[in-house]
Amino acid sequence: MTDVIPQSRALIEKLGVEIDPELLSLALTHRSYSYEHGQIPHNERLEFLGDSVLGLAVTERLFTEHPELDEGSLAKRRAAVVSTVALAEVARGIELGEHILLGRGENMTGGRDKDSILADTMEALIGATYLSVGADAATALVVRLVGPLLEDPERYGAAIDPKTSLQELAASTGRTPPSYSVTAEGPDHDRLFTATVKVGELRTEGTGSSKKQAEMAAALLAWRELSGRA
């Protein structure tokens, strides 16, 4: 079994759990990298597993700690915490983008900061953790990573609908309403959208594989900064 490469050691330390080196490498391998390197295995199967582990861990935590919430409220909170936007936020917090193995095209078009790639890789890491050290350790990792979301109810709304949350926050603090502009680059089958949102003097940017995703990413970043949760 190969050792963890030095660049990934920093990621392991941030995760706080020892993942099998081969599984870690697989979890960080995006489909675009696989395509350019002889169709080597990529992380989508681990992503499938990690999605289930994530959902169960979050569901158990919410069910146990919030007996006052009904089924609908629990489902809403779970949906927010496991959303692409929320997982991408978690991934940026551990600088996951630096470690993902991407194809040249994906790398050149900002793939390391795409919400979808970050969220999918985050799920793959959870799957790799489950296989490496078991369910308990994987559950503990999930709780540790999404803890800020679980402990901050206002983030639920921001994670699900950051544009609405930003608009409401701007109104409640006497700021001008958010305004958005979007640009796109790349071929039609693989467009990268960059959205810029302005709220008063604040200006933030977000990227995504669609106009909507880019605007949501920009809005969430602006919401975090204005709410003091950056």
Side-chain angles (χ1 to χ4, degrees), residues 129-227:
T129 301
Y130 177 88
L131 293 178
S132 296
V133 291
D136 289 345
T139 297
L141 174 64
V142 169
V143 171
R144 188 161 63 250
L145 291 174
V146 304
L149 290 172
L150 288 168
E151 301 304 326
D152 188 353
E154 289 187 16
R155 282 192 182 230
Y156 292 117
I160 290 178
D161 190 354
K163 292 182 67 175
T164 298
S165 293
L166 177 60
Q167 184 174 347
E168 292 174 348
L169 180 59
S172 68
T173 55
R175 291 180 169 87
T176 56
S179 61
Y180 296 85
S181 60
V182 181
T183 60
E185 59 183 8
D188 290 341
H189 69 278
D190 190 24
R191 301 283 273 174
L192 176 68
F193 293 83
T194 300
T196 301
V197 59
K198 296 179 182 179
V199 186
E201 298 299 318
L202 178 66
R203 176 190 176 106
T204 61
E205 289 187 353
T207 60
S209 56
S210 69
K211 178 176 179 288
K212 180 179 178 181
Q213 284 188 354
E215 288 181 342
M216 289 175 64
L220 181 60
L221 180 57
W223 181 88
R224 289 173 60 195
E225 292 196 18
L226 289 179
S227 65

